[in-house]
Amino acid sequence: DAGVIQSPRHEVTEMGQEVTLRCKPISGHNSLFWYRQTMMRGLELLIYFNNNVPIDDSGMPEDRFSAKMPNASFSTLKIQPSEPRDSAVYFCASSLRAARETQYFGPGTRLLVL
Amino acid sequence: GQQLNQSPQSMFIQEGEDVSMNCTSSSIFNTWLWYKQDPGEGPVLLIALYKAGELTSNGRLTAQFGITRKDSFLNISASIPSDVGIYFCAGIKAAGNKLTFGGGTRVLVKP
């Protein structure tokens, strides 16, 4: 069975450029989560979708960050414009119904903004 | 800042040793979870705890949900080299549905 799929696995870009991270959740899962991991702040929840609808985006750092889930099998996290402090590993996770249930994490996208 | 304080931040293990780590908070959590993250991978769920006082095992791993609901413990018995990695605690508050993660415990092998 395919797990959560994320692309790209690595991204290096210059400050000011737009960055789009992609996620395909596990088929049949109704909840999708975007996390950011840094050494300083650890793992932080950015946004949480249930049935393709954003439920909680209070973790999104600022207006430069946006996330969409146009259908049950695809989500994007976009940063525009990117800044060096956005450098981190971004994880997507999915669960069958809600956050309380087991969340399965993807391999992450390692982003470096120069 | 993080609401879950995890300790120790790092530790060295020797094969065969037992390992303990804990997670504390000033807030009450309704669910406690323990994850392990290997290099270059996402966290993988090890154990989930849903009731205060609950003690749950998964192979050589044992975790407990503190009676006060403000802490949890993870023990690894008879450690083996593949136990190396970063262990995270995570909690879900009664009133919310978000996972809050601890800072992680990095388990390393003694040289």
Side-chain angles (χ1 to χ4, degrees), chain A residues 9 33 35 37 39-43 45 48 55-56 58 91 99-108 110, chain B residues 1-2 30-31 33 35 37 40-45 48 50 86 88 92 97-103 106:
Chain A
R9 291 294 307 272
F33 310 83
Y35 290 88
Q37 186 176 38
M39 288 294 291
M40 290 297 293
R41 299 177 67 85
L43 265 164
L45 178 67
Y48 154 45
I55 302 299
D56 187 338
S58 59
F91 288 104
R100 180 182 168 92
E101 300 192 6
T102 301
Q103 292 185 26
Y104 295 87
F105 282 75
R110 188 173 297 272
Chain B
Q2 292 162 2
N30 210 35
T31 299
L33 306 164
Y35 283 82
Q37 185 176 21
E41 302 293 332
V44 174
L45 183 67
Y50 298 109
I86 304 177
F88 290 97
I92 302 176
N97 56 12
K98 296 190 292 187
L99 276 185
T100 300
F101 280 85
R106 187 179 296 270

Side-chain angles (χ1 to χ4, degrees), chain B residues 2-107:
Chain B
Q2 292 162 2
Q3 300 178 45
L4 297 184
N5 300 308
Q6 201 169 335
S7 66
Q9 289 187 340
S10 62
M11 64 193 315
F12 287 90
I13 62 169
Q14 196 153 34
E15 189 168 353
E17 284 182 342
D18 293 346
V19 172
S20 293
M21 60 194 77
N22 66 68
C23 201
T24 61
S25 174
S26 57
S27 303
I28 289 175
F29 285 86
N30 210 35
T31 299
W32 285 93
L33 306 164
W34 285 92
Y35 283 82
K36 183 189 179 207
Q37 185 176 21
D38 290 324
E41 302 293 332
V44 174
L45 183 67
L46 300 174
I47 292 181
L49 303 158
Y50 298 109
K51 197 188 301 184
E54 181 181 351
L55 185 72
T56 298
S57 292
N58 178 8
R60 294 179 297 105
L61 306 176
T62 302
Q64 183 160 26
F65 190 145
I67 291 176
T68 64
R69 297 192 186 182
K70 294 182 179 181
D71 56 10
S72 180
F73 305 86
L74 176 70
N75 295 312
I76 306 171
S77 62
S79 58
I80 59 179
S82 61
D83 290 333
V84 163
I86 304 177
Y87 292 79
F88 290 97
C89 64
I92 302 176
K93 289 185 175 178
N97 56 12
K98 296 190 292 187
L99 276 185
T100 300
F101 280 85
T105 293
R106 187 179 296 270
V107 175

Side-chain angles (χ1 to χ4, degrees), chain A:
Chain A
D1 286 346
V4 174
I5 299 173
Q6 289 186 248
S7 65
R9 291 294 307 272
H10 304 271
E11 177 83 25
V12 181
T13 190
E14 291 186 343
M15 184 174 65
Q17 296 298 306
E18 177 180 295
V19 174
T20 299
L21 311 181
R22 296 173 177 80
C23 175
K24 177 177 168 49
I26 293 173
S27 178
H29 281 195
N30 292 331
S31 293
L32 183 140
F33 310 83
W34 281 101
Y35 290 88
R36 179 172 66 176
Q37 186 176 38
T38 60
M39 288 294 291
M40 290 297 293
R41 299 177 67 85
L43 265 164
E44 303 173 284
L45 178 67
L46 300 177
I47 187 168
Y48 154 45
F49 291 87
N50 186 249
N51 291 321
N52 312 338
V53 176
I55 302 299
D56 187 338
D57 65 354
S58 59
M60 295 287 264
E62 48 197 275
D63 291 346
R64 297 183 298 106
F65 285 69
S66 62
K68 293 182 180 178
M69 192 165 186
N71 57 62
S73 59
F74 184 66
S75 176
T76 59
L77 178 67
K78 188 174 292 186
I79 308 172
Q80 166 63 21
S82 58
E83 297 183 2
R85 60 192 168 122
D86 301 330
S87 299
V89 182
Y90 291 82
F91 288 104
C92 176
S94 70
S95 68
L96 198 54
R97 281 183 291 272
R100 180 182 168 92
E101 300 192 6
T102 301
Q103 292 185 26
Y104 295 87
F105 282 75
T109 295
R110 188 173 297 272
L111 173 66
L112 177 62
V113 182
L114 301 173

